[in-house]
Amino acid sequence: MTIGFALSASSGSKLRQGMSQSRSRSRQPWRSSTRMAYSVADILKDPKFPAEWPFSSMDFKRQDEMTDSMFYYQPRLVYHVDDAAVNALTKFYAKSIPENADLLDM
C-alpha cells in the first residue's frame, strides 16, 4: 500500500509545491506532480507526535450546537457511493452474510 501524503513539515511543503505546480498544468488540482510515496510500514516505524496536545476544546465544538433531532426527523435515504460500489457490496453481502443473520448497522 502506498500513501501519497507527508508527515513532516518539509515533506508537506514539497507536496503543497507539487500540487500548486500541477494546478497550472492540469484540470485535476488534487493530483500532485511531486511523487512522494510512503508505505504504511515506513510511517509507523517512527511516528512523529507533537510534544504537547495541539488542540483546544474549541477545536472539537460543532459550528451548530443545536440538537440533531430536527436533522434526523425526516429519513434521508441516500447512497454515499456510486452504483458500481453499491452493486459490489450487495454481491459481497449476499455471499458473506448468512441468511437470517443478526446485524449491527452503525
Side-chain angles (χ1 to χ4, degrees), residues 7-8 38-49:
L7 294 179
S8 70
Y38 296 93
S39 72
V40 172
D42 289 340
I43 292 170
L44 295 177
K45 279 181 195 170
D46 187 27
K48 306 284 190 240
F49 296 103

Side-chain angles (χ1 to χ4, degrees), residues 14-46:
K14 288 179 189 174
L15 181 61
R16 282 189 295 279
Q17 178 186 9
M19 289 180 74
S20 64
Q21 290 171 356
S22 69
R23 281 190 193 107
S24 61
R25 291 191 308 258
S26 170
R27 291 186 174 266
Q28 299 172 334
W30 60 88
R31 282 201 162 164
S32 173
S33 62
T34 304
R35 184 92 175 150
M36 296 175 53
Y38 296 93
S39 72
V40 172
D42 289 340
I43 292 170
L44 295 177
K45 279 181 195 170
D46 187 27

Side-chain angles (χ1 to χ4, degrees), residues 1-15:
M1 175 185 284
T2 300
I3 298 177
F5 63 86
L7 294 179
S8 70
S10 62
S11 296
S13 63
K14 288 179 189 174
L15 181 61

Side-chain angles (χ1 to χ4, degrees), residues 53-95:
W53 181 249
F55 304 107
S56 73
S57 60
M58 291 299 294
D59 293 323
F60 295 95
K61 289 185 85 59
R62 298 181 331 182
Q63 289 180 351
D64 178 1
E65 289 292 337
M66 294 178 61
T67 181
D68 289 336
S69 61
M70 289 305 293
F71 179 82
Y72 292 108
Y73 180 73
Q74 180 176 346
R76 287 167 172 73
L77 304 174
V78 298
Y79 289 124
H80 295 282
V81 294
D82 64 16
D83 290 339
V86 171
N87 290 333
L89 281 171
T90 300
K91 289 177 185 176
F92 173 77
Y93 292 155
K95 287 185 207 173

